[in-house]
Amino acid sequence: MKLTVLVDNNAQLLSRDIYGEHGLSQFIEVDDKQILHDTGFSDLFIENAEELGINVANIDYLVLSHGHNDHTGGLKYLIEYMSEFRTKKQKPVLIAHEAVFDRKFKGSEEIGCTVDIKDIKKAFNVQLSKKMQKITEHFYFLGEIERNNDFETVDPYKKLVKDENGNNVYVDDYLVDDSSLAYIKGDDDKKELVIITGCAHSGICNTTEMAKKLIGDYPVISAVGGFHLIEPSEDRITKTCDYLKSLNLDSLYACHCTDLDSKIRLAQANPLKELSAGTVLEF
C-alpha cells in the first residue's frame, strides 16, 4: 500500500508547490486500485495532486470518513474535475456511512456536505452502509464504529432532520457516520494492520478495536490520520497514549485535528512520525 497525503493542515517543505489547509485528503494505491480518502475543504487536493503527478479523476473509489466540510468540501470540485479529465468509462464507487450526507451544523453554521445527492449519484456508484465494506483483498472500510471507551465520548454537534410531522428540527449529532479504513499487510503466515483515519471522532482507540474485531486480532503496526485530539481532557490523552503504547506500534502519524500538545504527549509514549501534505508512506 502506498499512501500520499494530498491535504493536511500542514504542508511539507518540498521543492514543489504543495500547500495546506484545514482539512484532510489522502490518495491510496492498494491491490491495483486507486482510492481517494476524503477531499479536504476546497479544490486544493486537486492542485496538490497535479503537482505530485497524481490524476485523481481516474480513481476507482472515493471513501468519505464522515460528512464534515473539511473532508467533503472538495467533492463538488472532484465531480467537475472528473467530468473533464476522467478517462475510465466506469463510474468510481463512493463508499461511506449512510448518515454521511445528513445536514450538519456547528451553531448556526452549516458544516456538512452541500452537494446535491442527485449530482453525487450521477458521478458515482454510491454505496452507503453502516456495515464494514471490503474494498479490495487487503483494504476495508470499517462502517459504524462501536464506542466502548468512556474516555472517548463525543461532544455532539447538531444536524437537521424531519420530525414525525415533516417539520425540520435540530437534534444532537454524535457523528455516527464517522468511520475509518484498515489495511491488512502480509499474508496468512503473518498479518498486520494499519489503521487510516479521517478525524476519528469515534476515538482512535475505539476505531482500532473495531478493526481488530471485524478483520482479525492481528498486531497493529501503524495508525495514520487525524485523531481528533483538540484540547482533550487529561483523562482522554493519558488513556489514549497508554492504549497506543500497548500496541507496540512501529509508527504513528497524527495529523489534521491533533493539536501540538497532544502530539507532544503522543510522542512521549509512541514512535510519532512527521506527516503533512506531500508526505508519501509505503507499507
Side-chain angles (χ1 to χ4, degrees), residues 200-212:
H201 286 281
S202 305
I204 183 57
C205 307
N206 282 328
T207 298
T208 302
E209 285 301 300
M210 193 70 178
K212 290 164 72 71

Side-chain angles (χ1 to χ4, degrees), residues 22-247:
H22 179 76
L24 186 73
S25 180
Q26 303 161 333
F27 181 76
I28 299 163
E29 298 164 272
V30 58
D31 296 332
D32 296 321
K33 299 296 182 183
Q34 297 183 344
I35 301 163
L36 183 65
H37 185 214
D38 291 341
T39 63
F41 187 75
S42 69
D43 62 350
L44 180 62
F45 77 102
I46 296 174
E47 294 179 13
N48 283 348
E50 288 180 338
E51 187 67 24
L52 293 167
I54 295 170
N55 180 11
V56 293
N58 275 335
I59 56 171
D60 300 292
Y61 295 90
L62 169 65
V63 180
L64 298 178
S65 65
H66 64 299
H68 282 164
N69 56 8
D70 53 338
H71 295 255
T72 65
L75 182 54
K76 65 179 180 179
Y77 303 106
L78 177 61
I79 292 173
E80 293 170 0
Y81 193 73
M82 289 194 306
S83 69
E84 186 171 356
F85 296 107
R86 185 172 179 81
T87 58
K88 294 181 180 179
K89 293 182 179 180
Q90 188 173 1
K91 292 191 292 187
V93 178
L94 189 157
I95 293 176
H97 187 282
E98 62 188 33
V100 72
F101 296 123
D102 288 353
R103 292 190 64 188
K104 298 173 177 294
F105 290 82
K106 185 176 183 179
S108 60
E109 179 187 3
E110 188 159 6
I111 59 170
C113 179
T114 57
V115 182
D116 192 288
I117 189 62
K118 294 179 181 178
D119 294 328
I120 294 172
K121 288 182 175 179
K122 287 179 183 177
F124 298 92
N125 290 319
V126 178
Q127 296 181 7
L128 304 182
S129 178
K130 293 181 180 180
K131 296 182 179 180
M132 181 182 75
Q133 298 189 52
K134 185 175 182 178
I135 301 175
T136 74
E137 183 64 26
H138 300 93
F139 206 72
Y140 294 80
F141 169 76
L142 296 179
E144 191 166 317
I145 307 297
E146 293 177 0
R147 301 179 182 189
N148 298 318
N149 294 318
D150 57 4
F151 63 90
E152 291 187 300
T153 55
V154 175
D155 292 328
Y157 292 79
K158 292 291 182 182
K159 63 180 179 180
L160 198 63
V161 299
K162 298 286 186 182
D163 65 13
E164 57 188 18
N165 298 316
N167 299 315
N168 288 331
V169 293
Y170 291 94
V171 299
D172 286 341
D173 180 14
Y174 288 92
L175 297 172
V176 296
D177 55 308
D178 173 80
S179 190
S180 294
L181 299 165
Y183 167 64
I184 300 179
K185 179 179 180 289
D187 52 29
D188 291 338
D189 294 331
K190 184 181 179 181
K191 291 184 177 180
E192 298 169 317
L193 290 177
V194 177
I195 310 300
I196 303 167
T197 68
C199 258
H201 286 281
S202 305
I204 183 57
C205 307
N206 282 328
T207 298
T208 302
E209 285 301 300
M210 193 70 178
K212 290 164 72 71
K213 176 181 177 179
L214 292 174
I215 300 171
D217 192 16
Y218 306 122
V220 178
I221 59 170
S222 190
V224 183
F227 298 159
H228 213 263
L229 295 171
I230 303 173
E231 298 183 350
S233 67
E234 180 60 29
D235 183 57
R236 178 165 185 168
I237 189 62
T238 297
K239 290 181 177 177
T240 298
C241 288
D242 289 346
Y243 172 83
L244 293 172
K245 184 178 180 179
S246 73
L247 297 175

